[in-house]
Amino acid sequence: MSLVLDPAAQDLLFREARTANTFTDEPVTDEQVQAIYDLVKYGPTAFNQSPLRITLIRSTEARERLVQHMAEGNQPKTATAPLVAILSADNEFHEELPALFPHFPQAKDVFFAERPAREGAAALNAALQAAYFIIGVRAAGLAAGPMTGLDFAGVQKEFLDDDHTPLMVVNIGKPGEDAWFPRSPRLEFDQVITTV
């Protein structure tokens, strides 16, 4: 059985897409970011909690502050990418649930009154949304360079607050020269899928 999605789109989103390590200097516009968000906001999360928060790093001063918290090998990429995004989980997402989950607004207090429950839910569901975000960047014809090689506590202190947990930093732009490492192997179908 073939997929309904056009093969070119499959390639763009998955088969040909890679983590970019270099970028051109072509800017990423606010309109492009808006289009990405307007697409990926429809990805499912539990209780429609939508805990992902995105901090865009555009100014030179903010970028310099961020670069110092990146692992050494990630610093040049982050210093030169046209746009950098810090993806974080909002641990107070439950405050939005009455609007986001209107058919059961009590979910805010029934399931998420305690901070540890919110932190676990926020981490899982924001990670799902981060994956959608990367696919959205690809759908916009851009390359994403997601990274977890960073000082998480430093990034949180520098850019976020105690209610937001950083998940990753994503460099965004048009791929530059020698942008790709060789494709790493993937597990085969029968190594992953079990039928019971």
Side-chain angles (χ1 to χ4, degrees):
M1 177 179 161
S2 63
L3 299 173
V4 173
L5 189 65
D6 178 85
Q10 295 173 36
D11 288 343
L12 177 71
L13 298 179
F14 296 100
R15 286 190 286 264
E16 300 298 325
R18 311 279 271 291
T19 295
N21 295 289
T22 67
F23 298 89
T24 69
D25 59 3
E26 183 178 330
V28 177
T29 67
D30 289 338
E31 292 77 16
Q32 287 172 300
V33 176
Q34 180 75 55
I36 291 165
Y37 179 72
D38 286 343
L39 177 65
V40 304
K41 69 183 179 183
Y42 294 109
T45 56
F47 295 93
N48 196 34
Q49 63 191 243
S50 306
L52 181 70
R53 301 296 179 263
I54 303 168
T55 303
L56 298 178
I57 305 298
R58 286 207 182 272
S59 73
T60 301
E61 179 269 336
R63 187 181 299 259
E64 289 171 355
R65 288 168 39 218
L66 177 59
V67 166
Q68 70 180 346
H69 296 293
M70 301 304 295
E72 185 176 344
N74 291 333
Q75 289 179 356
K77 298 182 249 187
T78 303
T80 58
L83 181 63
V84 183
I86 300 169
L87 306 190
S88 63
D90 181 359
N91 296 307
E92 298 299 310
F93 68 86
H94 69 307
E95 297 297 343
E96 305 294 338
L97 281 183
L100 292 175
F101 206 61
H103 53 283
F104 185 36
Q106 306 91 326
K108 171 183 183 258
D109 299 313
V110 172
F111 296 106
F112 301 111
E114 301 297 325
R115 176 72 179 235
R118 293 197 304 274
E119 287 177 349
L124 172 63
N125 287 280
L128 286 172
Q129 288 186 284
Y132 307 143
F133 181 77
I134 293 166
I135 298 297
V137 167
R138 294 172 175 178
L142 301 169
M147 302 169 293
T148 56
L150 56 112
D151 172 6
F152 285 89
V155 168
Q156 182 175 26
K157 183 176 180 181
E158 192 80 38
F159 293 97
L160 306 171
D161 59 31
D162 290 341
D163 290 332
H164 293 81
T165 303
L167 301 171
M168 67 183 69
V169 168
V170 183
N171 295 325
I172 304 167
K174 292 283 188 181
E177 189 175 339
D178 299 320
W180 321 117
F181 294 147
R183 171 77 76 191
S184 296
R186 298 296 193 266
L187 295 175
E188 296 298 327
F189 180 88
D190 59 359
Q191 294 176 284
V192 176
I193 306 298
T194 303
T195 303
V196 294

